[in-house]
Amino acid sequence: MRTVGFLLVALLIPWGISLAKFDEFDDGDDIVEYDDNDFAEFEDAIEDSVTESPQRVVTTEDDEEEATIELEGQDESLDFEDADAQEGDTESEPYDDEEFEGYEEKPDASPGKSEDLIKIINVPAHLQNSWESYYMEILMVTGLLAYIMNYIIGKNKNNRLAQAWFNTHRELLESNFALVGDDGTNKDATSTGKLNQENEHIYNLWCSGRVCCEGMLIQLKFLKRQDLLNVLARMMRPTCDQVQIKVTMNDEDMDTYVFAVGTRKALVRLQKEMQDLSEFCSDKPKTGAKYGLPESLAILSEMGEVTEGMMDTKMIHFLTHYADKIESVHFSDQFSGPKLMQEEGQPLKLPETKKTLLFTFNVPGSGNTSPKDMEALLPLMNMVIYSIDKAKKFRLNREGKQKADKNRARVEENFLKLTHVQRQEAAQTRREEKKRAEKERIMNEEDPEKQRRLEEAALRREQKKLEKKQMKMKQIKVKAM
């Protein structure tokens, strides 16, 4: 009996538990489905874990069947995530290599499982942001700065040299000329007492108010130190600054002659360029050793008498002691400037001439001139003043005067011969223009009677001209007989 009682208790306890479970369902729940579910006992545990993980799948294998329990409130996307998790589990399992022979695994192109390789491309040099990309601009800016600095330095140096020369010679000039430094801006001549700057390397000074001369123009021609290209060129071919002086003499205070002395190279160049030296001094430059001049100096003269008269003791002293600074000294009563170029055409009359003294002096230093070098030119200004007085006093004798007049008549005759054809052509052109103008005047006349009278008058004039020519021809024939 006791054994039977234990069996009843064992049967009643599970029955009571099942009744308690059935009470938890609503009326619409499927009780049969619950009984058939072998995993109902795990439901409470699964509901507790829902709050911890929003997605969980429990799988078991029983008689080759798989059951899956989905929790309430899960989204449809959980199925896809479970599938990915299962694939990940299968990938971790070992597999047989022989089973997949002939199968080539294709790389997964998904961005989550493979990363693209980074390709580093070299940037071209001209696109790189470095100093090497701007070497052309750097060179241009450097050259521009060098040009500007050289311009300022060269201009200031020429200005200092000009002021040094003027300060040294001012007292001598003011003692010999009443007016020093007229700039020509005023109607009345006024002495400004300063140099007139023509440009960055040329300075002018006009002096007047002295006996026997109309005036004196002094031109300081410095090197183009403000020009960088000229500075570079002088490195290959050095040159020097120059002082050029032009004295215009009065017509009655200078006789008729042409004379020049200077370096042989300068005289040859002047003989080719200057009109008066090429016509009146056609001989080659002669040495001045006879008068004690250095070998570097030569003489060009229209006649020997002029050379003897000019080469006195004081003039020889200046030429000898300052030969290195003297480029040329040119005295002429027929000075008309450089020759006319062939392109400009032959003039129909002789050019206007002036009695002029020209001096060209080289500044010491060969381009590296200092203000102290300008003081060394003061004795040469004394030479200029002496030459003015010398030209006034010198006079040719009667034979020399006749020879000079013959030379000038010969030059004029040669000039007329050269221009004879041109003058004839010019005269013919003028006659044709006159005839054309007269015909136009007759044709423009509206009155027929007056027009007829004008034509008859023109014919009578032409007949008279023909008769005069015939008379001249008869006279010439009679004289010839």
Side-chain angles (χ1 to χ4, degrees), residues 109-126:
S110 62
K113 293 186 178 181
S114 63
E115 296 181 357
D116 295 336
L117 297 177
I118 298 175
K119 296 180 180 180
I120 300 175
I121 301 176
N122 295 328
V123 181
H126 66 280

Side-chain angles (χ1 to χ4, degrees), residues 120-176:
I120 300 175
I121 301 176
N122 295 328
V123 181
H126 66 280
L127 297 178
Q128 296 179 1
N129 190 12
S130 62
W131 288 108
E132 296 180 356
S133 303
Y134 303 98
Y135 71 93
M136 185 61 68
E137 288 80 359
I138 294 173
L139 290 177
M140 292 178 64
V141 172
T142 304
L144 182 60
L145 293 176
Y147 189 89
I148 294 174
M149 292 179 63
N150 180 79
Y151 178 86
I152 297 173
I153 295 172
K155 180 181 177 181
N156 292 336
K157 184 173 182 180
N158 286 341
N159 189 22
R160 290 196 304 271
L161 294 176
Q163 292 300 325
W165 181 92
F166 182 70
N167 295 334
T168 304
H169 296 74
R170 184 171 185 175
E171 184 179 356
L172 177 62
L173 295 174
E174 290 179 349
S175 62
N176 286 273

Side-chain angles (χ1 to χ4, degrees), residues 91 100 102-110 113-114:
E91 289 177 358
F100 298 97
Y103 174 79
E104 295 180 359
E105 182 179 0
K106 296 182 179 180
D108 191 357
S110 62
K113 293 186 178 181
S114 63

Side-chain angles (χ1 to χ4, degrees), residues 204-311:
N204 298 328
L205 182 67
W206 172 256
C207 303
S208 62
R210 192 181 192 278
V211 294
C212 73
C213 71
E214 296 180 2
M216 178 175 68
L217 177 63
I218 303 174
Q219 195 170 54
L220 306 179
K221 287 190 174 182
F222 296 108
L223 300 175
K224 295 182 180 180
R225 294 182 174 88
Q226 78 281 358
D227 188 358
L228 182 60
L229 298 179
N230 189 271
V231 172
L232 297 176
R234 283 191 291 108
M235 294 180 180
M236 306 298 295
R237 188 177 181 182
T239 55
C240 59
D241 304 297
Q242 286 187 343
V243 178
Q244 296 182 357
I245 302 173
K246 180 180 180 181
V247 181
T248 304
M249 301 290 292
N250 296 327
D251 293 338
E252 65 275 7
D253 291 326
M254 183 176 177
D255 214 340
T256 55
Y257 57 88
V258 178
F259 171 79
V261 60
T263 60
R264 188 175 297 275
K265 183 178 180 180
L267 292 183
V268 171
R269 176 176 54 81
L270 290 175
Q271 195 174 25
K272 293 180 180 179
E273 296 177 356
M274 295 299 174
Q275 187 77 20
D276 56 343
L277 288 176
S278 63
E279 291 176 348
F280 297 97
C281 302
S282 56
D283 297 336
K284 293 182 179 180
K286 298 179 181 179
T287 180
K290 177 181 177 180
Y291 305 99
L293 298 180
E295 296 181 357
S296 59
L297 298 180
I299 297 173
L300 275 175
S301 180
E302 183 180 355
M303 60 189 76
E305 183 181 351
V306 177
T307 306
E308 294 291 339
M310 287 296 170
M311 291 290 104

